[in-house]
């Protein structure tokens, strides 16, 4: 069954008489007077329950007799004195009794998380406790859930000490159901939220699994007092010392607190009783007298809002830069490490840049065992827009994160700021506790292509909860493993500015609602390449600001194939074929082409209330190492349906001059005359939307043009320097000098146009300069990897900036003659016993795994095989790690193996990896495609310091692979 709505309070009410046994005594004279006089149906009936003092001797003794007789006398006087007043305030005493024979549903799952796993909610026959029917719930959970609530809203009823009770009969497949009453204190503010205080009062716990069991909860004076003491202690631990005002407290809800295990869970409820119901004479209004602050950043379903307007977070990490440097990037939020840095918070507030801060942290023991709480966050923390719990959080930390989140939310009840966390697995499980989930993978300088990375982004998005937003980090500098690998004084790898932009636009196209720019070096670091990223981030932030309504609130609805104009068949229509167009595929080509993507450009369609946004992005093979020109004249895409107008939106303008719209059979064709890496096309029928886009574009275009020209100038100088260094050690590159001259000429034009206050022309000329520079860079890179099995064979070949080091290593490699024997003799995989003795198994304990040594009759030798079957999101892996190998500074280590991947890898993250621990997984050779023949895998590593390392073989996800002849050799200095 689907989720349900509350059907109202369909109560069965019956009058009951008031009586007490002698052992239902009040704790004090005041409490006894309070409960038996003020809250009774009549003053006389209340007193009548205590007329026989002698009959109570066995229970209370002589002191009790005297006390009760004195109390009786006092109550009798009060009863006579105030009988008129009390009689005027008589309230009907009623009790709720639900037996479900009327087939009405009453209970509900309180949280969306529990509702999501609710499969059926119904009245069933033939399994009631006392009658025929009961209310039944069936849950099917994909994970272990704690403290989930099934609730029943009841008419507000005063807390009558020792009198107000609730009971029910329950039958369940899971133990540890706890029965509670919700107490509301209308005269008491919760200092954590600024709202009326509510507390759960615990009753009995269900233990008799699969059998009917009666549970009861009563508002006894002792139970309520214990609950108040516990609450005061919790407030004290959080820095809120208060005396709880328990006057006119009442119960307005009963609940079952449940632990839902993974899999199926059934709960059945019958014979609910609650009463006596004494409505508060005047329900005090919620005492929300404190100032009500509101979180500026809100996550509403899958939309991000700031001050109730669409907002797309563009953020980076703070490393002590000046606020001027931060503002130069155009980011709208900043991740800071010290949430208590009040001076920085005030400065960010004045600049209207939101702080994302890591909240105070408890020890794992304090968090998981709930031994300590966090103090409520104070007013000065308001410049913090959201809480960030970390980057790359491993899936085994989920319990700790859940508890930490609970503590932070408890301390942040007044603002309820969104919670962010970037995780490395179990996305859906984390997403249940995190408002804005991050999932990031750094692919620059790796063996993961940008087309595959785009698929991985979408895959990870699908692993998370639907209808909740996600963000991702993109690289602005080389991974730490690559930086640590390099020796003292060696040049640093550079993440090209185009790679930064490419990652960010790929995230938008995958449906992510925020982008973070990851860095470890300060923005003001004066290193070639690092100074270019400020301008790249600025360009992206400017474009996002213009397109914010789509990026913050839209959703991805389609992907369009994009055709190069030169490759399309210009078909003429006529009387014999009036509906024929260039989009028709000849019959003889259908079986050959299938649904193959016609180009490396893919256009994503995002729909919002403003209209459609089409985002064509060029996903080029190899651009994770060195991007090519990625520019073309004429691209076409076919959109389903009829549209009449479209606008191209760039950081410097909103125009129709670069596009044409036509209407072939089957939809609307959009033609872009010139295309460079990415573009944005807006389709809307609302004139005010275009007016807003134009206003926003005029506001940012001068800054965007300056950023583009500055970026081109910095990159030209860097590329020219590397080009001069490559002359003589790299094979000659065709028209290298011509590329540089054309890049310089375009840069000169851009500078002149900028000085003349022509931002659009300056932006276009700077784009052209960057095209020529990318063309030159790609030619050098193609020459470097021509004879390599993989780009990551030589880490220096994974980026343009380090190509001189690559060629020097290759030259040195050819000179060395002192070569060791194979340092991993068990790499021939001939002995199972030797493998077990020397290799370590790092496989996960999930998925269907098989590791075997097999004999190949044709080759007359043994080889290693991995086979793995797993489900999406399981993060299964087979991994074997070799024995340690010692290497010394100055060595060149060559690792090689023969690999065959006969079966396909179905998922975007399924692959076979081989890597060394000198660099780790970022430097792995990854095999994704099925190949019947054996292929050579090779890694060449320069050793900058004495160290021990190992070789790791790893199969991720689904697939099968065969490995043989693994060799590790050191090439020693002469």
């Amino acid at each position: 069954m689907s989720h349900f709505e509350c059907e109202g309070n369909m109560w069965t009410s019956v009058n009951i008489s008031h009586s007490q046994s002698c052992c239902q005594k009040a704790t004090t004279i005041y409490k006894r007077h309070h409960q038996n006089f003020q809250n009774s149906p009549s003053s006389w009936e209340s007193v009548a329950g205590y007329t026989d003092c002698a009959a109570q001797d066995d229970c209370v003794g002589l002191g009790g007799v005297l006390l009760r007789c004195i109390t009786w006398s006092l109550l009798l006087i009060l009863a006579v004195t105030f009988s008129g007043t009390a009689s005027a305030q008589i309230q009907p005493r009623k009790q709720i009794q639900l037996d479900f024979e009327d087939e009405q549903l009453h209970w509900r799952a309180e949280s969306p998380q529990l509702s999501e796993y609710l499969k059926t909610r119904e009245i069933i026959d033939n399994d009631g406790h006392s009658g025929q029917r009961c209310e039944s719930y069936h849950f099917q959970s994909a994970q272990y859930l704690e403290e989930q609530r099934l609730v029943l809203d009841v008419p507000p009823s005063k807390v009558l000490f020792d009198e107000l009770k609730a009971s029910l009969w329950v039958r369940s497949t899971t133990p540890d159901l706890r029965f509670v009453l919700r107490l509301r204190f209308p005269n008491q503010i919760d200092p954590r939220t600024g709202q009326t205080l509510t507390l759960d009062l615990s009753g009995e716990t269900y233990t008799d699994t699969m059998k009917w069991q009666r549970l009861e909860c009563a508002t006894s004076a002792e139970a309520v007092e214990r609950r108040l003491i516990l609450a005061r202690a919790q407030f004290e631990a959080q820095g809120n010392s208060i005396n709880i005002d328990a006057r006119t407290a009442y119960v307005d809800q009963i609940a079952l607190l449940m632990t839902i295990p993974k899999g199926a869970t059934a709960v059945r409820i019958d014979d609910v009783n609650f009463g006596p119901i004494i409505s508060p004479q005047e329900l005090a209004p919620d005492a929300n007298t404190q100032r009500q602050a509101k979180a500026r950043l809100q996550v509403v379903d899958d939309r991000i809002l700031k001050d109730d307007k669409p907002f797309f977070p563009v953020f980076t990490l703070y490393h002590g830069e000046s606020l001027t440097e931060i503002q130069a990037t155009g980011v709208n939020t900043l991740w800071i490490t010290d949430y208590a840095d009040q001076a920085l918070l005030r400065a960010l507030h004045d600049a209207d840049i939101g702080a994302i801060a890591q909240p105070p942290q408890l020890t794992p023991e304090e968090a998981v065992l709930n031994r300590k709480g966090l103090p409520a966050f104070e007013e000065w923390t308001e410049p913090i827009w959201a809480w960030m719990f970390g980057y790359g959080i491993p899936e085994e930390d989920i319990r700790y994160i859940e508890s930490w989140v609970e503590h932070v939310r408890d301390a942040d009840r007044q603002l309820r700021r969104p919670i962010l966390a970037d995780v490395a697995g179990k996305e859906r499980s984390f997403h249940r506790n995190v408002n804005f989930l991050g999932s990031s993978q750094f692919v620059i300088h790796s063996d993961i292509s940008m087309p595959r990375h785009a698929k991985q982004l979408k895959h990870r998005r699908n692993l998370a909860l639907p209808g909740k937003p996600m963000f991702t980090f993109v690289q602005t500098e080389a991974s730490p493993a690559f930086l640590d690998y390099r020796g003292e004084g060696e040049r640093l790898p550079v993440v090209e500015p185009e790679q930064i932009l490419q990652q960010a636009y790929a995230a938008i196209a995958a449906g992510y609602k925020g982008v973070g720019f990851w860095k470890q070096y300060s923005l003001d670091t004066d290193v070639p390449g690092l100074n270019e990223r400020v301008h790249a981030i600025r360009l992206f932030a400017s474009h996002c600001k213009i397109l914010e309504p789509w990026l913050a609130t839209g959703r991805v609805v389609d992907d369009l194939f994009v055709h190069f104009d030169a490759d399309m068949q210009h078909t003429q229509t006529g009387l014999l074929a009036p509906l024929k167009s260039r989009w028709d595929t000849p019959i003889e080509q259908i079986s050959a082409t299938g649904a193959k993507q016609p180009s490396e450009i893919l256009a994503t369609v995002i729909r919002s209330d403003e209209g459609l946004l089409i985002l064509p992005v060029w996903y080029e093979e190899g651009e994770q190492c060195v991007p090519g020109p990625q520019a073309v004249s004429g691209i076409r895409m076919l959109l389903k349906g009829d549209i009449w107008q479209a606008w191209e939106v760039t950081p410097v303008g909103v125009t129709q001059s670069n596009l044409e719209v036509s209407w072939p059979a089957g939809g609307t064709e959009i033609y872009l005359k010139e295309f460079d890496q990415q573009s944005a096309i807006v389709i809307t029928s609302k004139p005010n939307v275009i007016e807003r886009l134009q206003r926003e574009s005029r506001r940012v275009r001068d800054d965007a043009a300056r950023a583009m020209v500055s970026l081109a100038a910095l990159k030209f100088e860097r590329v020219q320097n590397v080009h001069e260094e490559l002359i003589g050690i790299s094979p000659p590159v065709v028209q290298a000098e011509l590329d540089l001259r054309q890049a310089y000429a375009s840069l000169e034009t851009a500078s002149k146009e900028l000085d003349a206050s022509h931002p659009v022309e300056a932006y276009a000329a700077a784009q052209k300069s960057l095209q020529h520079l990318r063309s030159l860079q790609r030619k050098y890179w193609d020459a470097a990897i021509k004879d390599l099995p993989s780009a990551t064979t030589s880490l220096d070949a994974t980026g343009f900036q380090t190509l001189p080091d690559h060629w020097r290593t290759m030259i040195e490699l050819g000179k060395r003659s002192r070569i060791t024997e194979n340092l991993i003799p068990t790499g021939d995989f001939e002995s199972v016993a030797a493998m077990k003795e020397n290799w370590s198994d790092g496989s996960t304990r999930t998925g269907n795994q098989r590791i075997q040594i097999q004999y190949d009759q044709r080759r007359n030798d043994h080889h290693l095989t991995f086979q793995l079957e797993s489900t999406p999101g399981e993060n299964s892996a087979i991994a074997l790690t070799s024995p340690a190998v010692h290497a010394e500074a100055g060595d060149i280590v060559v690792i090689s193996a023969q690999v065959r991947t006969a079966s396909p890898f179905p998922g975007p993250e399924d692959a076979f990896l081989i890597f060394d621990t000198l660099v780790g997984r970022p430097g792995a050779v990854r095999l994704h495609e099925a190949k019947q023949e054996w292929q050579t895998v090779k890694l060449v590593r320069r050793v900058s310091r004495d160290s021990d390392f190992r070789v790791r073989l790893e199969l991720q996800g689904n697939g099968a692979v065969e490995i043989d002849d693994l060799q590790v050799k050191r090439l020693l200095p002469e």
Side-chain angles (χ1 to χ4, degrees):
M1 298 297 175
S2 62
H3 298 171
F4 59 88
E5 297 179 357
C6 182
E7 298 180 10
N9 296 331
M10 306 295 292
W11 307 114
T12 302
S13 299
V14 294
N15 292 324
I16 61 170
S17 59
H18 172 73
S19 61
Q20 286 187 312
S21 69
C22 62
C23 292
Q24 290 177 310
K25 53 187 180 296
T27 306
T28 65
I29 296 177
Y30 166 75
K31 289 179 180 176
R32 184 172 174 188
H33 162 73
H34 181 75
Q35 74 176 35
N36 291 311
F37 178 70
Q38 288 188 334
N39 296 337
S40 301
S42 70
S43 57
W44 180 252
E45 181 180 336
S46 173
V47 174
Y50 290 94
T51 53
D52 187 2
C53 294
Q56 300 175 22
D57 289 357
D58 293 339
C59 287
V60 298
L62 181 60
V65 172
L66 294 174
L67 177 61
R68 289 190 180 276
C69 289
I70 295 171
T71 303
W72 153 246
S73 302
L74 175 62
L75 293 178
L76 181 58
I77 295 171
L78 290 172
V80 172
T81 304
F82 296 108
S83 60
T85 303
S87 300
Q89 297 177 352
I90 291 175
Q91 300 181 38
R93 301 178 62 110
K94 297 185 178 181
Q95 182 151 337
I96 293 171
Q97 293 182 341
L98 297 176
D99 57 12
F100 305 103
E101 298 301 318
D102 60 357
E103 302 188 34
Q104 295 290 327
L105 292 164
H106 299 286
W107 292 71
R108 60 182 174 86
E110 186 175 61
S111 69
Q113 188 177 18
L114 185 60
S115 297
E116 179 184 351
Y117 293 126
L118 178 61
K119 296 304 178 183
T120 59
R121 172 187 181 242
E122 59 187 345
I123 300 296
I124 62 171
D125 295 328
N126 303 320
D127 194 32
H129 168 257
S130 59
Q132 290 292 315
R133 300 181 177 91
C134 65
E135 191 162 334
S136 175
Y137 291 81
H138 178 215
F139 302 94
Q140 186 70 36
S141 176
Q143 64 171 346
Y144 183 86
L145 301 176
E146 293 184 310
E147 294 294 303
Q148 298 298 310
R149 295 170 70 99
L150 270 179
V151 301
L152 176 68
D153 295 317
V154 296
S157 183
K158 284 184 178 180
V159 173
L160 307 178
F161 294 112
D162 294 326
E163 211 174 335
L164 180 61
K165 297 179 182 178
S167 66
L168 55 73
W169 286 82
V170 64
R171 181 183 180 196
S172 176
T173 58
T174 181
D176 300 327
L177 276 69
R178 185 156 50 92
F179 191 35
V180 302
L181 300 178
R182 185 173 74 181
L183 307 179
R184 186 176 292 273
F185 300 85
N187 297 308
Q188 180 63 58
I189 287 289
D190 188 332
R192 302 163 298 183
T193 66
Q195 306 294 317
T196 303
L197 176 66
T198 60
L199 299 173
D200 280 342
L201 181 68
S202 294
E204 295 177 332
T205 299
Y206 179 76
T207 57
D208 205 359
T209 309
M210 302 298 293
K211 296 181 180 179
W212 284 105
Q213 180 179 340
R214 184 177 184 273
L215 303 182
E216 181 177 285
C217 185
T219 59
S220 69
E222 291 84 356
V224 173
E225 185 62 27
R226 283 196 304 269
R227 186 66 186 91
L228 293 177
I229 292 172
L230 177 60
R232 284 193 291 268
Q234 290 173 333
F235 289 141
E236 188 80 31
Q238 297 170 357
N240 298 302
S241 181
I242 63 171
N243 291 318
I244 298 175
D245 188 344
R247 293 174 300 162
T248 64
Y250 59 89
V251 174
D252 62 356
Q253 187 183 87
I254 64 179
L256 279 173
L257 269 61
M258 304 183 297
T259 295
I260 303 293
K262 186 176 181 180
T265 300
V267 178
R268 293 176 181 175
I269 302 169
D270 200 1
D271 294 337
V272 179
N273 287 275
F274 174 74
I277 299 171
I278 305 296
S279 298
Q281 294 176 0
E282 294 183 6
L283 285 181
D286 283 355
N288 302 326
T289 57
Q290 294 187 355
R291 182 184 63 86
Q292 289 297 297
K294 181 180 180 181
R296 296 195 65 187
L297 194 66
Q298 294 178 295
V299 177
V300 183
D301 299 324
D302 64 343
R303 297 172 296 143
I304 310 297
L305 304 176
K306 189 196 86 172
D307 301 332
D308 298 321
K309 295 179 180 179
F311 181 75
F312 186 82
V314 178
F315 60 99
T316 190
L317 291 74
Y318 180 62
H319 290 108
E321 302 95 334
S322 68
L323 195 56
T324 302
E325 287 281 354
I326 297 296
Q327 290 175 307
T329 65
V331 297
N332 51 33
T333 40
L334 186 68
W335 181 5
I336 65 175
T337 55
D338 184 5
Y339 87 101
D341 188 340
Q342 297 188 43
L344 178 58
L345 291 179
R346 287 193 297 269
L348 291 174
H349 173 76
D350 293 341
D352 198 28
I353 296 175
I356 301 174
Q358 180 172 311
Q361 195 169 358
L362 300 173
T363 67
E365 184 181 25
E366 290 171 338
V368 175
L369 299 181
N370 203 25
R371 291 181 175 176
K372 184 179 179 182
L374 293 173
F377 295 118
E378 298 184 40
E379 183 179 335
W380 55 261
T381 67
E382 286 185 17
I384 298 173
W385 291 2
W387 300 110
M388 170 66 85
F389 278 61
Y391 165 79
I393 300 171
E395 57 185 41
E396 56 266 23
D397 285 356
I398 187 168
R399 290 291 302 279
Y400 174 70
I401 293 297
E402 287 176 352
S403 182
W404 189 12
V405 166
E406 182 180 345
H407 283 83
V408 170
R409 283 187 171 142
D410 201 40
D412 196 29
R413 292 197 178 189
Q414 186 165 342
L415 285 177
R416 299 179 181 270
R417 284 164 280 207
I419 289 176
L420 285 67
D422 182 274
V423 302
K426 288 192 174 179
E427 286 85 357
R428 184 158 295 200
S429 298
F430 276 108
H431 216 174
R432 301 189 196 285
N433 298 282
V434 174
N435 304 103
F436 199 10
L437 185 76
S439 182
S440 307
Q441 183 179 30
F442 290 171
V443 301
I444 304 302
H445 306 141
S446 79
D447 218 10
I448 302 174
S449 69
M450 287 307 300
R452 178 167 288 273
H453 176 57
K455 293 178 182 177
Q456 290 176 345
L457 284 171
K458 295 178 180 178
H459 174 70
R460 294 189 176 198
R461 180 69 191 86
N462 292 334
L463 290 177
L465 282 178
K468 292 187 72 174
M470 289 187 70
F471 71 91
T472 190
F473 281 106
V474 303
Q475 282 178 268
T476 68
E477 56 196 33
S479 67
F482 275 48
L483 298 176
D484 293 342
Y485 166 74
R486 310 197 69 76
E488 191 77 23
E490 293 185 358
R491 75 174 71 237
L492 294 179
V494 168
V495 176
E496 299 291 336
E498 294 92 342
Q499 292 172 322
I500 295 174
L501 291 168
Q502 177 71 10
Q503 296 173 83
Y505 282 103
I508 293 175
Y512 288 71
K513 296 297 180 68
V515 170
F517 292 93
W518 182 265
K519 65 182 181 66
Q520 292 180 298
Y521 288 93
S522 172
L523 291 170
D524 53 14
T525 303
D526 188 17
V527 173
L530 291 183
N531 49 8
E532 299 166 26
R533 59 187 173 164
V534 173
H535 305 297
I537 297 172
R538 180 76 187 190
L539 288 167
F540 179 75
S542 299
H543 208 187
C544 289
K545 185 61 181 174
I546 301 172
L547 300 171
E548 203 158 38
W550 284 272
L551 306 185
T553 65
R555 60 186 180 89
V556 175
V557 295
D558 202 0
D559 285 319
L560 308 178
F561 285 165
V562 176
H563 295 256
F564 294 138
D565 190 39
D567 296 338
M568 292 203 71
Q569 192 174 8
H570 292 273
T571 305
Q572 298 295 323
T573 62
L575 294 175
L576 296 179
L579 300 180
K580 193 174 183 181
S581 76
R582 65 172 61 88
W583 293 95
D584 295 325
T585 303
I587 294 177
E588 63 272 14
Q589 295 181 14
I590 291 178
S591 60
T593 61
K596 184 179 179 182
Q597 189 171 328
S599 74
E600 292 181 319
I601 305 172
L602 190 66
T604 298
V605 182
I606 298 173
R607 183 187 299 277
S608 79
D609 294 339
E610 306 289 306
L612 295 179
L613 170 65
I614 302 177
L615 193 70
V617 178
W618 198 316
Y619 301 99
E620 182 183 29
E621 291 288 341
E623 77 170 295
Q624 80 277 11
C625 296
V626 178
Q630 296 183 359
V632 67
S633 295
I635 63 169
R636 298 179 185 272
M637 59 202 86
L638 186 66
L639 182 67
K640 298 175 184 177
D642 293 332
I643 63 160
W644 300 105
Q645 292 191 88
W647 290 262
E648 185 180 27
V649 180
T650 72
V652 293
V654 180
T655 178
Q656 294 179 307
S657 62
N658 189 44
L659 59 78
E660 295 175 357
V661 177
S662 59
W663 300 271
T668 301
E669 180 187 270
I670 299 175
Y671 173 65
L672 282 182
K673 301 172 187 177
E674 299 292 335
F675 178 77
D676 184 344
Q677 292 193 297
Q678 310 96 15
S679 185
I681 301 165
V682 164
I683 299 168
T684 182
S685 59
K686 302 176 181 179
N688 63 314
V689 171
I690 299 302
E691 292 171 3
R692 187 200 65 79
L693 291 173
Q694 291 171 336
R695 279 197 310 272
E696 194 63 41
S697 177
R698 286 193 294 269
R699 190 183 67 81
V700 304
R701 67 184 179 185
D702 289 341
D703 285 342
R706 278 192 295 271
M708 182 63 86
V709 175
S710 298
L711 172 58
L714 289 169
K715 178 159 182 171
F716 176 84
E717 181 181 1
R718 176 172 59 86
V719 172
Q720 185 181 40
N721 291 336
V722 175
H723 160 71
E724 292 173 354
E725 197 173 350
L726 286 168
I727 295 174
I729 61 174
S730 166
V733 168
V734 178
Q735 297 183 330
E737 295 297 333
L738 178 60
D739 284 331
L740 277 176
R741 286 197 302 271
Q742 290 176 328
Y744 182 77
S746 295
L747 181 57
E748 285 283 288
T749 301
S751 298
K752 292 176 182 177
E753 296 289 0
L754 190 64
D755 291 340
S757 298
H758 298 155
V760 176
E761 292 78 4
Y763 185 91
Q767 275 189 313
K768 187 66 70 174
S769 177
L770 289 170
Q771 290 174 18
H772 292 301
L773 293 175
R774 291 196 300 272
S775 175
L776 176 60
Q777 289 178 299
R778 184 69 176 216
K779 290 174 186 177
Y780 273 120
W781 183 71
D782 287 339
I785 67 164
K786 179 181 177 182
D787 297 322
L788 298 181
S790 167
T792 50
T793 294
S794 168
L795 295 183
D796 293 328
T798 58
F800 175 76
Q801 194 71 9
T802 53
L803 286 182
D805 293 331
H806 162 73
W807 284 114
R808 293 188 186 99
T809 300
M810 293 298 105
I811 293 170
E812 181 66 22
L813 191 65
K815 293 179 179 179
R816 295 197 178 185
S817 58
R818 299 176 59 203
I819 305 174
T820 67
E821 297 295 325
N822 183 11
L823 300 176
I824 303 183
T826 53
D828 58 8
F829 306 115
E830 294 293 328
S831 170
V832 175
M835 286 286 297
K836 290 183 177 180
E837 182 179 352
N838 294 282
W839 289 65
S840 59
D841 187 354
S843 305
T844 64
R845 295 295 175 258
T846 55
N848 184 13
Q849 303 180 4
R850 180 177 298 174
I851 304 174
Q852 290 182 317
I853 301 292
Q854 291 188 341
Y855 178 71
D856 188 334
Q857 291 184 341
R858 289 182 301 173
R859 303 177 65 199
N860 191 31
D861 73 348
H862 292 83
H863 61 266
L864 179 66
T865 65
F866 290 169
Q867 288 181 305
L868 178 60
E869 297 177 0
S870 63
T871 57
E874 200 170 35
N875 290 333
S876 299
I878 296 176
L880 292 182
T881 304
S882 76
V885 174
H886 180 72
E888 297 182 357
D891 287 351
I892 297 177
V893 174
V894 178
I895 304 166
S896 63
Q898 296 296 309
V899 179
R900 181 165 66 179
T901 52
S903 62
F905 296 90
E909 297 192 345
D910 299 342
F912 171 70
L913 286 70
I914 177 169
F915 59 92
D916 58 276
T917 57
L918 289 170
V919 179
R921 191 171 279 104
V925 171
R926 299 170 184 262
L927 303 180
H928 309 280
E929 307 296 332
K931 291 188 177 181
Q932 296 298 321
E933 301 299 323
W934 289 87
Q935 54 187 311
T936 299
V937 173
K938 184 176 288 187
L939 302 169
V940 178
R941 300 291 182 256
R942 292 181 293 106
V943 181
S944 59
R945 61 186 69 90
D946 293 358
S947 57
D948 291 339
F949 71 92
R950 292 171 169 80
V951 178
R952 186 174 174 94
L953 311 175
E954 186 171 309
L955 176 60
Q956 296 178 343
N958 292 281
V961 64
E962 300 167 276
I963 310 106
D964 199 7
D965 196 22
L966 173 66
Q967 297 191 31
V968 175
K969 296 183 179 181
R970 292 169 54 198
L971 280 68
L972 309 179
E974 298 296 332

